[in-house]
Amino acid sequence: MIADEIQSGLARSGKMLACDWEGVRPDVVILGKALGGGVIPVSAVLADKDVMLCIRPGEHGSTFGGNPLASAVAIASLDVIQEEKLAERSAHLGEELLCQLVKIKEEFPNYVKEVRGRGLFTAVEFNSKSLFPVSAYDICLKMKERGVLAKPTHDTIVRLTPPLCMSRDEVKEGSKVLHDVLELDLPNMQKAKPKDSPTTATICDRCGRNLYDPSDRAL
């Protein structure tokens, strides 16, 4: 069993590894992103000797493998996560954020289909029919204008993965921005955006970018 913890690992979900929630011990764990502490790109593969030593000397190489600077950064990053108890912090702040998102769902039941998450790894899923012709990407653009960065996914989902070191006040500020976008901006966005705007199929599933180009239409 290989656990891909590149995005979900290292305290993001409220535990050191997301698979800890399931009480399982993978044969191989893949780490990245937070391992670099925002300083340098670092990735790592963890496994027991029974697995790792299947690769013998000379069978595998890596241009940047064992980079001393990257290794030092990774060790420092792990030290900070443990010493500052960021997994526990993520769990507590995540509960607060989820409660705030649930209140938003209750206030906008026609727009918000579901809120979910573990730790500071949360998402808001919108009802595509009531949101139309606006997309999650449009919601994220408005949130950016109000000072909060969020990630659109699959056209109807806004993913919220704030820094593990953020304060409780910043958590409240972030959820308030989403609330204000739904209350103040969304009605105007729905009126202003053409009903024949691009469908889900024309939105990039990875970045949310509009791939639609009117010039590609058949004349």
Side-chain angles (χ1 to χ4, degrees):
M1 174 188 174
I2 300 176
D4 181 352
E5 294 274 1
I6 291 175
Q7 184 172 198
S8 59
L10 300 181
R12 169 56 56 189
S13 71
K15 291 185 180 293
M16 184 59 80
L17 298 177
C19 59
D20 291 342
W21 285 100
E22 311 303 328
V24 298
R25 186 179 187 278
D27 299 297
V28 180
V29 175
I30 306 172
L31 297 175
K33 293 185 181 291
L35 189 61
V39 176
I40 190 172
V42 184
S43 61
V45 178
L46 310 180
D48 291 331
K49 290 184 178 180
D50 291 342
V51 175
M52 196 65 78
L53 294 184
C54 288
I55 302 175
R56 293 173 296 182
E59 291 183 343
H60 176 69
S62 173
T63 303
F64 297 106
N67 182 303
L69 174 60
S71 299
V73 168
I75 292 172
S77 177
L78 293 173
D79 286 341
V80 169
I81 291 172
Q82 291 183 319
E83 293 171 5
E84 299 187 10
K85 298 182 178 180
L86 293 185
E88 294 86 345
R89 182 179 182 81
S90 175
H92 295 320
L93 289 178
E95 288 180 5
E96 293 187 22
L97 177 57
L98 206 58
C99 287
Q100 294 165 20
L101 295 178
V102 168
K103 291 180 181 178
I104 292 177
K105 178 180 183 298
E106 293 172 349
E107 187 171 348
F108 303 96
N110 291 334
Y111 290 133
V112 182
K113 179 180 179 181
E114 181 184 16
V115 297
R116 54 183 178 266
R118 277 179 170 170
L120 289 174
F121 198 14
T122 58
V124 177
E125 183 173 0
F126 293 95
N127 186 317
S128 59
K129 291 184 178 180
S130 60
L131 193 66
F132 183 82
V134 176
S135 68
Y137 180 64
D138 299 319
I139 297 293
C140 289
L141 289 180
K142 282 297 180 182
M143 291 181 68
K144 183 188 71 170
E145 292 178 8
R146 292 180 176 272
V148 173
L149 297 179
K151 171 72 170 65
T153 306
H154 299 300
D155 202 45
T156 58
I157 300 170
V158 171
R159 189 172 65 203
L160 302 168
T161 54
L164 305 183
C165 59
M166 74 184 311
S167 67
R168 283 179 167 78
D169 289 340
E170 288 171 329
V171 170
K172 293 179 181 178
E173 181 182 348
S175 60
K176 183 181 184 301
V177 164
L178 176 59
H179 175 278
D180 290 347
V181 168
L182 297 181
E183 181 181 43
L184 304 176
D185 298 327
L186 182 55
N188 294 328
M189 293 163 64
Q190 290 180 313
K191 292 178 182 178
K193 193 167 184 178
K195 295 296 182 180
D196 60 348
S197 56
T199 61
T200 302
T202 62
I203 300 297
C204 176
D205 187 48
R206 293 181 61 84
C207 69
R209 183 170 59 88
N210 186 349
L211 303 178
Y212 176 74
D213 184 353
S215 65
D216 291 337
R217 279 185 172 180
L219 298 178

PDB file of all heavy atoms in Angstrom, residues 117-138:
ATOM      1  N   GLY A 117     -14.326  18.407   5.588  1.00  0.00           N
ATOM      2  CA  GLY A 117     -12.910  18.601   5.821  1.00  0.00           C
ATOM      3  C   GLY A 117     -12.412  17.925   7.073  1.00  0.00           C
ATOM      4  O   GLY A 117     -13.188  17.463   7.921  1.00  0.00           O
ATOM      5  N   ARG A 118     -11.104  17.871   7.189  1.00  0.00           N
ATOM      6  CA  ARG A 118     -10.412  17.395   8.377  1.00  0.00           C
ATOM      7  C   ARG A 118      -9.235  18.324   8.615  1.00  0.00           C
ATOM      8  O   ARG A 118      -8.431  18.547   7.707  1.00  0.00           O
ATOM      9  CB  ARG A 118      -9.937  15.951   8.207  1.00  0.00           C
ATOM     10  CG  ARG A 118     -11.021  14.919   8.496  1.00  0.00           C
ATOM     11  CD  ARG A 118     -10.521  13.514   8.291  1.00  0.00           C
ATOM     12  NE  ARG A 118     -11.475  12.533   8.790  1.00  0.00           N
ATOM     13  CZ  ARG A 118     -11.384  11.219   8.581  1.00  0.00           C
ATOM     14  NH1 ARG A 118     -10.366  10.744   7.878  1.00  0.00           N
ATOM     15  NH2 ARG A 118     -12.281  10.399   9.071  1.00  0.00           N
ATOM     16  N   GLY A 119      -9.130  18.836   9.838  1.00  0.00           N
ATOM     17  CA  GLY A 119      -8.088  19.803  10.096  1.00  0.00           C
ATOM     18  C   GLY A 119      -8.278  21.018   9.201  1.00  0.00           C
ATOM     19  O   GLY A 119      -9.404  21.409   8.878  1.00  0.00           O
ATOM     20  N   LEU A 120      -7.178  21.612   8.786  1.00  0.00           N
ATOM     21  CA  LEU A 120      -7.240  22.765   7.888  1.00  0.00           C
ATOM     22  C   LEU A 120      -7.142  22.311   6.433  1.00  0.00           C
ATOM     23  O   LEU A 120      -6.363  22.837   5.634  1.00  0.00           O
ATOM     24  CB  LEU A 120      -6.119  23.750   8.234  1.00  0.00           C
ATOM     25  CG  LEU A 120      -6.324  24.502   9.548  1.00  0.00           C
ATOM     26  CD1 LEU A 120      -5.100  25.334   9.891  1.00  0.00           C
ATOM     27  CD2 LEU A 120      -7.575  25.373   9.493  1.00  0.00           C
ATOM     28  N   PHE A 121      -7.939  21.308   6.118  1.00  0.00           N
ATOM     29  CA  PHE A 121      -8.030  20.747   4.768  1.00  0.00           C
ATOM     30  C   PHE A 121      -9.524  20.643   4.468  1.00  0.00           C
ATOM     31  O   PHE A 121     -10.146  19.606   4.677  1.00  0.00           O
ATOM     32  CB  PHE A 121      -7.357  19.375   4.744  1.00  0.00           C
ATOM     33  CG  PHE A 121      -7.008  18.877   3.360  1.00  0.00           C
ATOM     34  CD1 PHE A 121      -7.008  19.709   2.275  1.00  0.00           C
ATOM     35  CD2 PHE A 121      -6.649  17.550   3.170  1.00  0.00           C
ATOM     36  CE1 PHE A 121      -6.686  19.252   1.013  1.00  0.00           C
ATOM     37  CE2 PHE A 121      -6.322  17.070   1.912  1.00  0.00           C
ATOM     38  CZ  PHE A 121      -6.337  17.924   0.834  1.00  0.00           C
ATOM     39  N   THR A 122     -10.120  21.762   4.036  1.00  0.00           N
ATOM     40  CA  THR A 122     -11.574  21.847   3.950  1.00  0.00           C
ATOM     41  C   THR A 122     -12.028  22.240   2.546  1.00  0.00           C
ATOM     42  O   THR A 122     -11.241  22.720   1.723  1.00  0.00           O
ATOM     43  CB  THR A 122     -12.117  22.890   4.947  1.00  0.00           C
ATOM     44  OG1 THR A 122     -11.515  24.163   4.663  1.00  0.00           O
ATOM     45  CG2 THR A 122     -11.769  22.501   6.375  1.00  0.00           C
ATOM     46  N   ALA A 123     -13.322  22.037   2.308  1.00  0.00           N
ATOM     47  CA  ALA A 123     -13.882  22.378   1.006  1.00  0.00           C
ATOM     48  C   ALA A 123     -15.350  22.737   1.137  1.00  0.00           C
ATOM     49  O   ALA A 123     -16.053  22.253   2.030  1.00  0.00           O
ATOM     50  CB  ALA A 123     -13.720  21.203   0.033  1.00  0.00           C
ATOM     51  N   VAL A 124     -15.779  23.601   0.243  1.00  0.00           N
ATOM     52  CA  VAL A 124     -17.192  23.973   0.134  1.00  0.00           C
ATOM     53  C   VAL A 124     -17.650  23.571  -1.264  1.00  0.00           C
ATOM     54  O   VAL A 124     -17.080  24.017  -2.257  1.00  0.00           O
ATOM     55  CB  VAL A 124     -17.391  25.489   0.336  1.00  0.00           C
ATOM     56  CG1 VAL A 124     -18.865  25.856   0.149  1.00  0.00           C
ATOM     57  CG2 VAL A 124     -16.900  25.910   1.710  1.00  0.00           C
ATOM     58  N   GLU A 125     -18.669  22.721  -1.323  1.00  0.00           N
ATOM     59  CA  GLU A 125     -19.211  22.295  -2.619  1.00  0.00           C
ATOM     60  C   GLU A 125     -20.522  23.018  -2.868  1.00  0.00           C
ATOM     61  O   GLU A 125     -21.412  23.022  -2.021  1.00  0.00           O
ATOM     62  CB  GLU A 125     -19.424  20.788  -2.659  1.00  0.00           C
ATOM     63  CG  GLU A 125     -19.926  20.311  -4.011  1.00  0.00           C
ATOM     64  CD  GLU A 125     -19.978  18.797  -4.141  1.00  0.00           C
ATOM     65  OE1 GLU A 125     -19.612  18.107  -3.165  1.00  0.00           O
ATOM     66  OE2 GLU A 125     -20.397  18.319  -5.221  1.00  0.00           O
ATOM     67  N   PHE A 126     -20.633  23.610  -4.056  1.00  0.00           N
ATOM     68  CA  PHE A 126     -21.815  24.388  -4.401  1.00  0.00           C
ATOM     69  C   PHE A 126     -22.776  23.586  -5.274  1.00  0.00           C
ATOM     70  O   PHE A 126     -22.382  22.638  -5.951  1.00  0.00           O
ATOM     71  CB  PHE A 126     -21.401  25.668  -5.132  1.00  0.00           C
ATOM     72  CG  PHE A 126     -20.644  26.635  -4.277  1.00  0.00           C
ATOM     73  CD1 PHE A 126     -19.253  26.637  -4.274  1.00  0.00           C
ATOM     74  CD2 PHE A 126     -21.307  27.538  -3.468  1.00  0.00           C
ATOM     75  CE1 PHE A 126     -18.549  27.528  -3.485  1.00  0.00           C
ATOM     76  CE2 PHE A 126     -20.615  28.435  -2.671  1.00  0.00           C
ATOM     77  CZ  PHE A 126     -19.229  28.420  -2.677  1.00  0.00           C
ATOM     78  N   ASN A 127     -24.029  24.005  -5.243  1.00  0.00           N
ATOM     79  CA  ASN A 127     -25.048  23.423  -6.107  1.00  0.00           C
ATOM     80  C   ASN A 127     -24.898  24.063  -7.485  1.00  0.00           C
ATOM     81  O   ASN A 127     -25.121  25.263  -7.646  1.00  0.00           O
ATOM     82  CB  ASN A 127     -26.442  23.703  -5.526  1.00  0.00           C
ATOM     83  CG  ASN A 127     -27.535  23.003  -6.296  1.00  0.00           C
ATOM     84  OD1 ASN A 127     -27.532  22.980  -7.525  1.00  0.00           O
ATOM     85  ND2 ASN A 127     -28.488  22.438  -5.581  1.00  0.00           N
ATOM     86  N   SER A 128     -24.522  23.277  -8.458  1.00  0.00           N
ATOM     87  CA  SER A 128     -24.211  23.827  -9.783  1.00  0.00           C
ATOM     88  C   SER A 128     -25.409  24.519 -10.434  1.00  0.00           C
ATOM     89  O   SER A 128     -25.255  25.531 -11.119  1.00  0.00           O
ATOM     90  CB  SER A 128     -23.703  22.707 -10.703  1.00  0.00           C
ATOM     91  OG  SER A 128     -24.667  21.680 -10.826  1.00  0.00           O
ATOM     92  N   LYS A 129     -26.613  24.004 -10.187  1.00  0.00           N
ATOM     93  CA  LYS A 129     -27.802  24.592 -10.822  1.00  0.00           C
ATOM     94  C   LYS A 129     -28.114  25.970 -10.256  1.00  0.00           C
ATOM     95  O   LYS A 129     -28.406  26.909 -11.009  1.00  0.00           O
ATOM     96  CB  LYS A 129     -29.001  23.659 -10.642  1.00  0.00           C
ATOM     97  CG  LYS A 129     -28.892  22.364 -11.441  1.00  0.00           C
ATOM     98  CD  LYS A 129     -30.153  21.524 -11.297  1.00  0.00           C
ATOM     99  CE  LYS A 129     -30.052  20.256 -12.138  1.00  0.00           C
ATOM    100  NZ  LYS A 129     -31.282  19.416 -12.011  1.00  0.00           N
ATOM    101  N   SER A 130     -28.080  26.113  -8.944  1.00  0.00           N
ATOM    102  CA  SER A 130     -28.401  27.408  -8.342  1.00  0.00           C
ATOM    103  C   SER A 130     -27.256  28.400  -8.503  1.00  0.00           C
ATOM    104  O   SER A 130     -27.461  29.610  -8.477  1.00  0.00           O
ATOM    105  CB  SER A 130     -28.738  27.230  -6.855  1.00  0.00           C
ATOM    106  OG  SER A 130     -27.640  26.677  -6.155  1.00  0.00           O
ATOM    107  N   LEU A 131     -26.030  27.891  -8.666  1.00  0.00           N
ATOM    108  CA  LEU A 131     -24.864  28.762  -8.826  1.00  0.00           C
ATOM    109  C   LEU A 131     -24.755  29.298 -10.258  1.00  0.00           C
ATOM    110  O   LEU A 131     -24.232  30.374 -10.474  1.00  0.00           O
ATOM    111  CB  LEU A 131     -23.586  27.995  -8.466  1.00  0.00           C
ATOM    112  CG  LEU A 131     -22.310  28.822  -8.267  1.00  0.00           C
ATOM    113  CD1 LEU A 131     -22.437  29.720  -7.044  1.00  0.00           C
ATOM    114  CD2 LEU A 131     -21.100  27.900  -8.111  1.00  0.00           C
ATOM    115  N   PHE A 132     -25.241  28.539 -11.227  1.00  0.00           N
ATOM    116  CA  PHE A 132     -25.132  28.867 -12.651  1.00  0.00           C
ATOM    117  C   PHE A 132     -25.616  30.294 -12.930  1.00  0.00           C
ATOM    118  O   PHE A 132     -26.610  30.731 -12.359  1.00  0.00           O
ATOM    119  CB  PHE A 132     -25.958  27.863 -13.465  1.00  0.00           C
ATOM    120  CG  PHE A 132     -25.862  28.065 -14.949  1.00  0.00           C
ATOM    121  CD1 PHE A 132     -24.797  27.552 -15.658  1.00  0.00           C
ATOM    122  CD2 PHE A 132     -26.834  28.792 -15.619  1.00  0.00           C
ATOM    123  CE1 PHE A 132     -24.707  27.755 -17.030  1.00  0.00           C
ATOM    124  CE2 PHE A 132     -26.744  28.997 -16.980  1.00  0.00           C
ATOM    125  CZ  PHE A 132     -25.682  28.468 -17.684  1.00  0.00           C
ATOM    126  N   PRO A 133     -24.933  31.024 -13.813  1.00  0.00           N
ATOM    127  CA  PRO A 133     -23.788  30.641 -14.645  1.00  0.00           C
ATOM    128  C   PRO A 133     -22.427  30.890 -13.979  1.00  0.00           C
ATOM    129  O   PRO A 133     -21.389  30.815 -14.629  1.00  0.00           O
ATOM    130  CB  PRO A 133     -23.954  31.535 -15.864  1.00  0.00           C
ATOM    131  CG  PRO A 133     -24.522  32.799 -15.289  1.00  0.00           C
ATOM    132  CD  PRO A 133     -25.449  32.357 -14.183  1.00  0.00           C
ATOM    133  N   VAL A 134     -22.435  31.195 -12.710  1.00  0.00           N
ATOM    134  CA  VAL A 134     -21.189  31.428 -11.972  1.00  0.00           C
ATOM    135  C   VAL A 134     -20.542  30.096 -11.621  1.00  0.00           C
ATOM    136  O   VAL A 134     -21.234  29.101 -11.378  1.00  0.00           O
ATOM    137  CB  VAL A 134     -21.475  32.237 -10.685  1.00  0.00           C
ATOM    138  CG1 VAL A 134     -20.215  32.403  -9.851  1.00  0.00           C
ATOM    139  CG2 VAL A 134     -22.062  33.600 -11.048  1.00  0.00           C
ATOM    140  N   SER A 135     -19.215  30.057 -11.581  1.00  0.00           N
ATOM    141  CA  SER A 135     -18.485  28.842 -11.230  1.00  0.00           C
ATOM    142  C   SER A 135     -17.672  29.063  -9.955  1.00  0.00           C
ATOM    143  O   SER A 135     -17.537  30.183  -9.461  1.00  0.00           O
ATOM    144  CB  SER A 135     -17.532  28.448 -12.365  1.00  0.00           C
ATOM    145  OG  SER A 135     -16.482  29.407 -12.481  1.00  0.00           O
ATOM    146  N   ALA A 136     -17.123  27.967  -9.433  1.00  0.00           N
ATOM    147  CA  ALA A 136     -16.259  28.065  -8.254  1.00  0.00           C
ATOM    148  C   ALA A 136     -15.046  28.945  -8.546  1.00  0.00           C
ATOM    149  O   ALA A 136     -14.551  29.654  -7.657  1.00  0.00           O
ATOM    150  CB  ALA A 136     -15.817  26.666  -7.818  1.00  0.00           C
ATOM    151  N   TYR A 137     -14.581  28.920  -9.777  1.00  0.00           N
ATOM    152  CA  TYR A 137     -13.463  29.764 -10.179  1.00  0.00           C
ATOM    153  C   TYR A 137     -13.818  31.238 -10.016  1.00  0.00           C
ATOM    154  O   TYR A 137     -13.012  32.040  -9.520  1.00  0.00           O
ATOM    155  CB  TYR A 137     -13.097  29.455 -11.629  1.00  0.00           C
ATOM    156  CG  TYR A 137     -11.941  30.258 -12.175  1.00  0.00           C
ATOM    157  CD1 TYR A 137     -10.656  30.124 -11.639  1.00  0.00           C
ATOM    158  CD2 TYR A 137     -12.119  31.148 -13.229  1.00  0.00           C
ATOM    159  CE1 TYR A 137      -9.590  30.859 -12.143  1.00  0.00           C
ATOM    160  CE2 TYR A 137     -11.061  31.888 -13.743  1.00  0.00           C
ATOM    161  CZ  TYR A 137      -9.796  31.737 -13.198  1.00  0.00           C
ATOM    162  OH  TYR A 137      -8.749  32.465 -13.686  1.00  0.00           O
ATOM    163  N   ASP A 138     -15.043  31.611 -10.406  1.00  0.00           N
ATOM    164  CA  ASP A 138     -15.495  32.995 -10.256  1.00  0.00           C
ATOM    165  C   ASP A 138     -15.576  33.382  -8.781  1.00  0.00           C
ATOM    166  O   ASP A 138     -15.226  34.505  -8.404  1.00  0.00           O
ATOM    167  CB  ASP A 138     -16.873  33.173 -10.907  1.00  0.00           C
ATOM    168  CG  ASP A 138     -16.853  32.877 -12.398  1.00  0.00           C
ATOM    169  OD1 ASP A 138     -15.881  33.284 -13.060  1.00  0.00           O
ATOM    170  OD2 ASP A 138     -17.792  32.225 -12.879  1.00  0.00           O
TER     171      ASP A 138
END
